[in-house]
Amino acid sequence: MKIEDKLFLDRFRVEEESHLKITDADKCKQCEDQPCLNLCPANVYRLEDGCIMVNYEGCLECGSCRIACPKLNIDWNYPRGGFGISHKFG
Amino acid sequence: MNETFDVAIVGAGPAGISAAITLANAGIKTVVVERGEYPGAKNMSGGVLYGHDLGQILPDFTKIPGFPIERNIIESRIWYLSKEAGISVGYRDSIFAGERKQNVFTVGRAKFDRWYADQARKKGALIVPATVVLDLIRENGRVTGVQTGRADGDIHAKVVLIADGVNSRLAVTAGFRPDVKPEHVALAVKEVIELAPEIIDQRFGVSDGNGVTTEILGAVAGGMDGVGVLYTNKASISLALGANLADFSKTKLKPYDLIETFKKHPMVAPLIAGGKSLEYTAHWLPEGGYDTMPKLYGDGYLIAGDSAMLFNAPHREGSNLAMLSGKMAADTIIEAMKTGDFSAKSLSAYNTKLSESKILQDMKKYRGFGGFLYDHKEIFETMPEIVQFGGRELLTVNAESKKTKQDKIIKKLRKDMGIPRFVRLMWSGFRAVK
Ligand SMILES: Cc1cc2nc3c(=O)[nH]c(=O)nc-3n(C[C@H](O)[C@H](O)[C@H](O)COP(=O)(O)OP(=O)(O)OC[C@H]3O[C@@H](n4cnc5c(N)ncnc54)[C@H](O)[C@@H]3O)c2cc1C
Ligand code: SF4
Ligand code: SF4
């Protein structure tokens, strides 16, 4: 089962504005391992034309990218109250 | 909502709601602020709860309408897996189907937390969902309320209970603890897999609403310091897999790929065969243990549950420590209400209560456990392979004598690991939990 299909099972109420922002895109270019690309359980971070894209809509709100980013380059907030994922079973 | 309460609680998880029920029972004006659309909307766990500890807060909980139990657990299994094989040990006891029913049972947190919050509401606590607490309000160095994301969203209170879980932005923003370090949490992903109740009964050899839990150790997460769980619900299986976040960074393994591999393991696959995935979620577990706990009280505030890093990893006890710490925080507040003194000195009674209970005693006992696992990666890679080699040698009947087989296994252990290292591993493992 692909990650896209897994996320398709979940219920999201998507906010217009992202709750995750890269603070400084240049820092990502100097980031050797780019761990956000691999450890995010929702595959939110993707590399497109050498730039990190943030597909915040599928974020599972675990917090991992924030603390695992070696440059602490992610401005991470909880989505506005009631937005983001809503677990059905939990 | 520019209103004043006696107590403002951040987070409607087991810790916050247990405190709210205890406070509301004592007639104290309490508000609980929760960021999820409803309590439980953001929460996930394996789903095991403990009747004794829940009973401390809600006696007779089984008789309350709508009690959202999935299955009563009568057997606990432990597996130790290599990539293609595994050892299984289980303990089943009829006492858990009879006299000690609901000693351990499973729930889905989205349903349980919602039901639990309803009990607090019925007793008079105000639950405010869909609202994020952004910061604490402070006057002259003491906490006097919370600032929420709503317009006019300041809530004033005599005391604030921080029960916002392991990813406690609030405690960090307030400077009550540094941000979590990757090596102090495990990142877990979970799938809920739908199966007909009769099929679950057959596959696990149970009936009458009973079920089985399985804790899964060894090579479950591509050699990382990780664990898995497989728990039975009424009409689904909870399958979760977690590993230390620092390991995820180093290995570049992807959580969703790992759980797919896990689902195909020969011990797991037959139990979930034909099942349909219903949900995929992710959450941290606080694994840093005693040494990563912040100070749990100060002028006008207390911290309970996961945000205090209260988690007993070897026994997968977290929700019950959250419940009990929430109750102890509430009991401390109830006492402080009598004098009106909410200073750090007065609230330090909370620490005394925690120290005298199993919470801090267990946290201290397993202080070295997380570090032990993290420092001994052979448990997750080399050892499982040796076990698989040994199992295959011993159980394959061929021309070789048993003595030859035994020698081969010892030779393998010598070569892959070395006897002294093996002995040291056993010894430090024993010291980490003694
Ligand atoms: C994979 C996995 C398996 C587990 N299995 C078990 C198990 O089988 N048994 C067990 O006992 N424990 C288990 N645990 C641990 C258990 O889930 C936790 O210990 C428990 O949920 C802690 O309760 P809590 O109330 O402290 O925190 P949480 O349950 O995390 O509740 C915190 C609440 O605060 C809310 N919140 C957070 N920030 C804010 C904010 N700023 N404003 C408003 N609201 C906010 C959250 O939405 C949430 O509802 C498991 C955990 C995981 C991840
Ligand atoms: S880990 Fe941080 S710095 Fe590196 S690429 Fe990702 S966001 Fe950028
Ligand atoms: S919070 Fe978790 S799910 Fe969301 S982007 Fe970060 S790592 Fe991915």
Side-chain angles (χ1 to χ4, degrees):
Chain A
M1 196 181 195
K2 288 205 288 271
I3 178 62
E4 294 75 22
D5 299 327
K6 288 186 196 295
L7 295 172
F8 199 67
L9 305 170
D10 295 335
R11 203 159 71 81
F12 293 99
R13 197 168 151 217
V14 177
E15 245 190 309
E16 265 166 43
E17 207 190 320
S18 174
H19 60 288
L20 312 165
K21 290 184 196 85
I22 304 267
T23 314
D24 177 355
D26 286 339
K27 279 193 184 166
C28 295
K29 296 202 168 116
Q30 288 142 25
C31 176
E32 210 174 307
D33 287 335
Q34 302 192 314
C36 61
L37 296 177
N38 297 303
L39 62 76
C40 168
N43 194 23
V44 163
Y45 299 90
R46 290 174 220 171
L47 204 55
E48 277 170 37
D49 301 324
C51 287
I52 303 276
M53 302 301 290
V54 187
N55 297 279
Y56 71 97
E57 297 87 347
C59 172
L60 301 173
E61 299 167 33
C62 67
S64 302
C65 53
R66 182 185 80 239
I67 64 168
C69 168
K71 301 183 185 291
L72 299 178
N73 195 24
I74 299 168
D75 175 16
W76 192 102
N77 290 290
Y78 280 126
R80 189 145 50 95
F83 284 82
I85 192 167
S86 281
H87 297 178
K88 295 169 284 185
F89 189 88
Chain B
M1 192 210 299
N2 245 314
E3 216 182 314
T4 303
F5 289 82
D6 291 326
V7 186
I9 300 175
V10 187
I17 295 299
S18 301
I21 291 175
T22 311
L23 291 164
N25 271 339
I28 291 172
K29 195 176 169 196
T30 304
V31 60
V32 185
V33 185
E34 165 59 45
R35 72 182 187 91
E37 194 182 348
Y38 42 82
K42 303 293 185 184
N43 301 344
M44 176 271 256
S45 77
V48 164
L49 293 186
Y50 306 87
H52 171 272
D53 296 343
L54 176 56
Q56 304 293 303
I57 295 114
L58 272 186
D60 294 330
F61 59 89
T62 52
K63 299 196 188 94
I64 302 174
F67 170 56
I69 183 174
E70 291 289 331
R71 281 181 190 252
N72 173 55
I73 300 305
I74 58 163
E75 179 179 334
S76 298
R77 294 180 187 163
I78 298 180
W79 290 355
Y80 188 63
L81 303 190
S82 67
K83 275 191 201 125
E84 293 153 34
I87 298 178
S88 170
V89 191
Y91 181 78
R92 176 178 290 217
D93 193 330
S94 60
I95 197 168
F96 298 125
E99 195 188 312
R100 289 196 202 154
K101 215 169 169 180
Q102 270 99 40
N103 168 59
V104 172
F105 55 93
T106 50
V107 300
R109 288 287 304 277
K111 288 181 204 156
F112 176 82
D113 290 11
R114 207 168 183 173
W115 172 86
Y116 200 36
D118 279 342
Q119 308 315 310
R121 192 180 283 131
K122 276 188 210 155
K123 291 176 192 294
L126 179 67
I127 314 279
V128 183
T131 307
V132 185
V133 170
L134 298 174
D135 207 347
L136 299 172
I137 301 171
R138 283 195 252 204
E139 284 161 35
N140 306 322
R142 69 185 303 144
V143 176
T144 56
V146 297
Q147 181 206 325
T148 75
R150 288 181 182 251
D152 292 328
D154 285 2
I155 299 175
H156 297 276
K158 292 176 181 143
V159 56
V160 172
L161 175 64
I162 300 174
D164 56 348
V166 56
N167 187 7
S168 178
R169 295 297 288 144
L170 201 57
V172 176
T173 312
F176 296 158
R177 78 171 202 201
D179 207 348
V180 180
K181 299 232 165 15
E183 56 273 31
H184 295 154
V185 290
L187 165 62
V189 288
K190 174 178 176 181
E191 267 182 58
V192 178
I193 300 168
E194 186 180 42
L195 277 177
E198 313 79 67
I199 294 183
I200 297 176
D201 285 354
Q202 270 169 21
R203 287 185 187 171
F204 291 86
V206 291
S207 60
D208 306 315
N210 292 321
V212 175
T213 57
T214 310
E215 317 302 324
I216 310 175
L217 315 168
V220 291
M224 293 189 286
D225 169 2
V227 290
V229 304
L230 190 159
Y231 297 158
T232 52
N233 303 315
K234 218 175 263 165
S236 65
I237 302 286
S238 287
L239 189 72
L241 182 69
N244 189 281
L245 184 58
D247 279 1
F248 268 115
S249 286
K250 277 184 229 148
T251 58
K252 303 197 172 179
L253 292 166
K254 296 178 197 284
Y256 38 90
D257 289 344
L258 282 176
I259 197 165
E260 281 307 297
T261 313
F262 190 45
K263 280 156 81 177
K264 295 188 185 100
H265 191 282
M267 303 271 285
V268 177
L271 296 177
I272 57 167
K276 186 173 137 251
S277 287
L278 298 176
E279 187 168 62
Y280 170 72
T281 51
H283 206 282
W284 286 347
L285 290 131
E287 287 203 326
Y290 186 79
D291 295 308
T292 58
M293 284 172 53
K295 187 168 174 242
L296 300 181
Y297 60 91
D299 288 324
Y301 77 92
L302 297 158
I303 307 181
D306 269 13
S307 42
M309 298 296 271
L310 301 178
F311 187 69
N312 178 343
H315 293 274
R316 51 109 161 90
E317 290 183 27
S319 53
N320 59 332
L321 301 189
M323 287 179 184
L324 295 174
S325 61
K327 178 175 189 298
M328 286 174 204
D331 288 340
T332 307
I333 294 170
I334 293 169
E335 282 158 28
M337 290 287 292
K338 291 180 195 147
T339 56
D341 179 1
F342 300 99
S343 66
K345 188 155 171 282
S346 162
L347 297 179
S348 70
Y350 174 49
N351 214 42
T352 314
K353 288 188 172 59
L354 289 168
S355 305
E356 285 166 357
S357 74
K358 70 175 175 190
I359 299 181
L360 285 194
Q361 288 168 13
D362 286 352
M363 290 293 292
K364 279 187 193 152
K365 176 172 159 65
Y366 296 117
R367 188 174 199 161
F369 185 73
F372 164 72
L373 293 181
Y374 193 69
D375 294 339
H376 291 86
K377 289 289 177 328
E378 54 268 44
I379 300 172
F380 306 100
E381 206 153 26
T382 319
M383 284 277 292
E385 270 169 40
I386 297 172
V387 167
Q388 177 176 305
F389 179 86
R392 285 180 179 175
E393 280 299 319
L394 285 176
L395 298 173
T396 306
V397 180
N398 54 18
E400 283 171 0
S401 74
K402 299 295 183 240
K403 177 76 175 72
T404 314
K405 287 176 179 293
Q406 197 181 318
D407 290 347
K408 269 166 98 177
I409 297 170
I410 291 179
K411 199 169 146 211
K412 167 97 177 155
L413 181 64
R414 277 226 165 85
K415 180 169 146 282
D416 289 5
M417 196 159 167
I419 305 287
R421 199 160 131 226
F422 180 70
V423 172
R424 268 202 310 275
L425 174 73
M426 292 296 139
W427 174 241
S428 25
F430 169 72
R431 285 180 38 120
V433 299
K434 86 168 189 322

mmCIF file of all heavy atoms in Angstrom, chain A residues 22 24-25 27-29 31-37 45 52 65 68-74, ligand 2:
data_model
loop_
_atom_site.group_PDB
_atom_site.id
_atom_site.type_symbol
_atom_site.label_atom_id
_atom_site.label_comp_id
_atom_site.label_asym_id
_atom_site.label_seq_id
_atom_site.Cartn_x
_atom_site.Cartn_y
_atom_site.Cartn_z
ATOM 1 N N ILE A 22 9.207 26.410 5.756
ATOM 2 C CA ILE A 22 10.672 26.377 5.742
ATOM 3 C C ILE A 22 11.138 27.815 6.011
ATOM 4 O O ILE A 22 10.719 28.744 5.318
ATOM 5 C CB ILE A 22 11.183 25.920 4.361
ATOM 6 C CG1 ILE A 22 10.588 24.559 4.001
ATOM 7 C CG2 ILE A 22 12.703 25.971 4.299
ATOM 8 C CD1 ILE A 22 11.376 23.358 4.365
ATOM 9 N N ASP A 24 14.274 29.145 5.877
ATOM 10 C CA ASP A 24 15.259 29.683 4.939
ATOM 11 C C ASP A 24 15.591 28.607 3.894
ATOM 12 O O ASP A 24 16.302 27.638 4.182
ATOM 13 C CB ASP A 24 16.509 30.085 5.746
ATOM 14 C CG ASP A 24 17.631 30.598 4.855
ATOM 15 O OD1 ASP A 24 17.486 30.558 3.618
ATOM 16 O OD2 ASP A 24 18.661 31.035 5.413
ATOM 17 N N ALA A 25 15.049 28.784 2.686
ATOM 18 C CA ALA A 25 15.193 27.761 1.629
ATOM 19 C C ALA A 25 16.659 27.494 1.286
ATOM 20 O O ALA A 25 17.016 26.385 0.899
ATOM 21 C CB ALA A 25 14.422 28.183 0.395
ATOM 22 N N LYS A 27 19.120 27.279 3.306
ATOM 23 C CA LYS A 27 19.683 26.320 4.277
ATOM 24 C C LYS A 27 19.431 24.890 3.824
ATOM 25 O O LYS A 27 20.243 24.002 4.049
ATOM 26 C CB LYS A 27 19.066 26.537 5.659
ATOM 27 C CG LYS A 27 19.694 27.678 6.421
ATOM 28 C CD LYS A 27 19.260 27.630 7.878
ATOM 29 C CE LYS A 27 19.815 28.826 8.631
ATOM 30 N NZ LYS A 27 19.151 28.997 9.923
ATOM 31 N N CYS A 28 18.280 24.646 3.206
ATOM 32 C CA CYS A 28 17.958 23.297 2.719
ATOM 33 C C CYS A 28 18.944 22.863 1.654
ATOM 34 O O CYS A 28 19.295 21.690 1.548
ATOM 35 C CB CYS A 28 16.541 23.244 2.159
ATOM 36 S SG CYS A 28 15.298 23.540 3.411
ATOM 37 N N LYS A 29 19.380 23.828 0.848
ATOM 38 C CA LYS A 29 20.325 23.480 -0.227
ATOM 39 C C LYS A 29 21.669 23.055 0.351
ATOM 40 O O LYS A 29 22.400 22.294 -0.263
ATOM 41 C CB LYS A 29 20.488 24.663 -1.183
ATOM 42 C CG LYS A 29 19.160 24.961 -1.869
ATOM 43 C CD LYS A 29 19.302 25.722 -3.171
ATOM 44 C CE LYS A 29 17.988 25.713 -3.922
ATOM 45 N NZ LYS A 29 17.373 27.027 -4.112
ATOM 46 N N CYS A 31 21.861 21.516 3.222
ATOM 47 C CA CYS A 31 21.594 20.441 4.182
ATOM 48 C C CYS A 31 21.984 19.117 3.532
ATOM 49 O O CYS A 31 21.426 18.741 2.502
ATOM 50 C CB CYS A 31 20.111 20.445 4.541
ATOM 51 S SG CYS A 31 19.606 19.123 5.628
ATOM 52 N N GLU A 32 22.958 18.440 4.135
ATOM 53 C CA GLU A 32 23.548 17.282 3.492
ATOM 54 C C GLU A 32 22.582 16.102 3.379
ATOM 55 O O GLU A 32 22.321 15.580 2.309
ATOM 56 C CB GLU A 32 24.786 16.873 4.297
ATOM 57 C CG GLU A 32 25.867 16.225 3.462
ATOM 58 C CD GLU A 32 27.103 15.996 4.319
ATOM 59 O OE1 GLU A 32 27.571 16.977 4.947
ATOM 60 O OE2 GLU A 32 27.555 14.848 4.372
ATOM 61 N N ASP A 33 22.023 15.697 4.527
ATOM 62 C CA ASP A 33 21.209 14.476 4.547
ATOM 63 C C ASP A 33 19.736 14.702 4.209
ATOM 64 O O ASP A 33 19.028 13.764 3.869
ATOM 65 C CB ASP A 33 21.303 13.811 5.926
ATOM 66 C CG ASP A 33 22.660 13.160 6.119
ATOM 67 O OD1 ASP A 33 23.268 12.814 5.094
ATOM 68 O OD2 ASP A 33 23.098 13.024 7.277
ATOM 69 N N GLN A 34 19.266 15.909 4.379
ATOM 70 C CA GLN A 34 17.856 16.241 4.162
ATOM 71 C C GLN A 34 16.919 15.202 4.790
ATOM 72 O O GLN A 34 16.084 14.597 4.099
ATOM 73 C CB GLN A 34 17.589 16.406 2.663
ATOM 74 C CG GLN A 34 18.495 17.494 2.063
ATOM 75 C CD GLN A 34 18.102 17.924 0.681
ATOM 76 O OE1 GLN A 34 17.828 17.100 -0.163
ATOM 77 N NE2 GLN A 34 18.084 19.230 0.443
ATOM 78 N N PRO A 35 17.054 14.979 6.108
ATOM 79 C CA PRO A 35 16.282 13.900 6.740
ATOM 80 C C PRO A 35 14.765 14.066 6.637
ATOM 81 O O PRO A 35 14.038 13.082 6.662
ATOM 82 C CB PRO A 35 16.733 13.943 8.211
ATOM 83 C CG PRO A 35 17.346 15.278 8.399
ATOM 84 C CD PRO A 35 17.929 15.657 7.082
ATOM 85 N N CYS A 36 14.290 15.300 6.465
ATOM 86 C CA CYS A 36 12.836 15.507 6.370
ATOM 87 C C CYS A 36 12.237 14.710 5.223
ATOM 88 O O CYS A 36 11.081 14.298 5.282
ATOM 89 C CB CYS A 36 12.506 16.992 6.225
ATOM 90 S SG CYS A 36 13.209 17.727 4.730
ATOM 91 N N LEU A 37 13.040 14.461 4.181
ATOM 92 C CA LEU A 37 12.518 13.741 3.014
ATOM 93 C C LEU A 37 12.194 12.290 3.333
ATOM 94 O O LEU A 37 11.363 11.679 2.670
ATOM 95 C CB LEU A 37 13.543 13.775 1.869
ATOM 96 C CG LEU A 37 13.866 15.146 1.282
ATOM 97 C CD1 LEU A 37 14.949 15.014 0.222
ATOM 98 C CD2 LEU A 37 12.618 15.777 0.697
ATOM 99 N N TYR A 45 7.377 16.304 2.857
ATOM 100 C CA TYR A 45 8.497 17.024 2.221
ATOM 101 C C TYR A 45 8.958 16.271 0.986
ATOM 102 O O TYR A 45 9.237 15.080 1.053
ATOM 103 C CB TYR A 45 9.651 17.176 3.218
ATOM 104 C CG TYR A 45 9.232 17.964 4.426
ATOM 105 C CD1 TYR A 45 8.703 17.322 5.544
ATOM 106 C CD2 TYR A 45 9.303 19.350 4.432
ATOM 107 C CE1 TYR A 45 8.273 18.040 6.648
ATOM 108 C CE2 TYR A 45 8.875 20.077 5.524
ATOM 109 C CZ TYR A 45 8.358 19.417 6.626
ATOM 110 O OH TYR A 45 7.930 20.143 7.712
ATOM 111 N N ILE A 52 12.846 22.067 -1.645
ATOM 112 C CA ILE A 52 11.976 21.278 -0.773
ATOM 113 C C ILE A 52 10.558 21.842 -0.861
ATOM 114 O O ILE A 52 10.338 23.027 -0.583
ATOM 115 C CB ILE A 52 12.462 21.343 0.695
ATOM 116 C CG1 ILE A 52 13.908 20.855 0.812
ATOM 117 C CG2 ILE A 52 11.520 20.586 1.621
ATOM 118 C CD1 ILE A 52 14.117 19.388 0.922
ATOM 119 N N CYS A 65 9.540 16.324 12.048
ATOM 120 C CA CYS A 65 10.374 17.141 11.164
ATOM 121 C C CYS A 65 10.992 18.310 11.935
ATOM 122 O O CYS A 65 12.130 18.677 11.703
ATOM 123 C CB CYS A 65 9.546 17.643 9.985
ATOM 124 S SG CYS A 65 8.028 18.484 10.464
ATOM 125 N N ALA A 68 13.911 16.966 14.150
ATOM 126 C CA ALA A 68 14.944 16.181 13.465
ATOM 127 C C ALA A 68 15.656 16.994 12.387
ATOM 128 O O ALA A 68 16.687 16.562 11.875
ATOM 129 C CB ALA A 68 14.345 14.918 12.853
ATOM 130 N N CYS A 69 15.123 18.151 12.024
ATOM 131 C CA CYS A 69 15.798 18.994 11.032
ATOM 132 C C CYS A 69 17.104 19.492 11.649
ATOM 133 O O CYS A 69 17.093 20.195 12.660
ATOM 134 C CB CYS A 69 14.923 20.188 10.649
ATOM 135 S SG CYS A 69 15.831 21.429 9.709
ATOM 136 N N PRO A 70 18.248 19.113 11.061
ATOM 137 C CA PRO A 70 19.535 19.446 11.693
ATOM 138 C C PRO A 70 19.774 20.950 11.791
ATOM 139 O O PRO A 70 20.561 21.402 12.608
ATOM 140 C CB PRO A 70 20.566 18.775 10.789
ATOM 141 C CG PRO A 70 19.864 18.467 9.513
ATOM 142 C CD PRO A 70 18.416 18.333 9.825
ATOM 143 N N LYS A 71 19.091 21.725 10.950
ATOM 144 C CA LYS A 71 19.281 23.180 10.980
ATOM 145 C C LYS A 71 18.133 23.892 11.687
ATOM 146 O O LYS A 71 18.047 25.121 11.638
ATOM 147 C CB LYS A 71 19.439 23.707 9.549
ATOM 148 C CG LYS A 71 20.635 23.065 8.837
ATOM 149 C CD LYS A 71 20.857 23.630 7.462
ATOM 150 C CE LYS A 71 21.956 22.909 6.713
ATOM 151 N NZ LYS A 71 23.311 23.114 7.252
ATOM 152 N N LEU A 72 17.258 23.120 12.298
ATOM 153 C CA LEU A 72 16.052 23.673 12.947
ATOM 154 C C LEU A 72 15.432 24.742 12.045
ATOM 155 O O LEU A 72 15.178 25.869 12.452
ATOM 156 C CB LEU A 72 16.371 24.225 14.340
ATOM 157 C CG LEU A 72 16.920 23.202 15.343
ATOM 158 C CD1 LEU A 72 17.239 23.847 16.677
ATOM 159 C CD2 LEU A 72 15.954 22.030 15.558
ATOM 160 N N ASN A 73 15.200 24.347 10.816
ATOM 161 C CA ASN A 73 14.809 25.269 9.750
ATOM 162 C C ASN A 73 13.304 25.214 9.459
ATOM 163 O O ASN A 73 12.854 25.727 8.447
ATOM 164 C CB ASN A 73 15.621 24.897 8.492
ATOM 165 C CG ASN A 73 15.582 25.968 7.431
ATOM 166 O OD1 ASN A 73 15.351 27.136 7.748
ATOM 167 N ND2 ASN A 73 15.783 25.573 6.185
ATOM 168 N N ILE A 74 12.557 24.539 10.317
ATOM 169 C CA ILE A 74 11.116 24.434 10.052
ATOM 170 C C ILE A 74 10.345 25.198 11.131
ATOM 171 O O ILE A 74 10.482 24.918 12.322
ATOM 172 C CB ILE A 74 10.675 22.956 9.994
ATOM 173 C CG1 ILE A 74 11.412 22.250 8.850
ATOM 174 C CG2 ILE A 74 9.157 22.854 9.804
ATOM 175 C CD1 ILE A 74 11.296 20.750 8.855
HETATM 176 S S1 SF4 C 2 16.010 18.679 7.139
HETATM 177 FE FE1 SF4 C 2 15.634 20.860 7.481
HETATM 178 S S2 SF4 C 2 17.313 21.963 6.504
HETATM 179 FE FE2 SF4 C 2 17.370 19.841 5.777
HETATM 180 S S3 SF4 C 2 16.226 19.890 3.865
HETATM 181 FE FE3 SF4 C 2 14.740 19.348 5.445
HETATM 182 S S4 SF4 C 2 13.884 21.284 6.168
HETATM 183 FE FE4 SF4 C 2 15.725 21.774 4.959
#
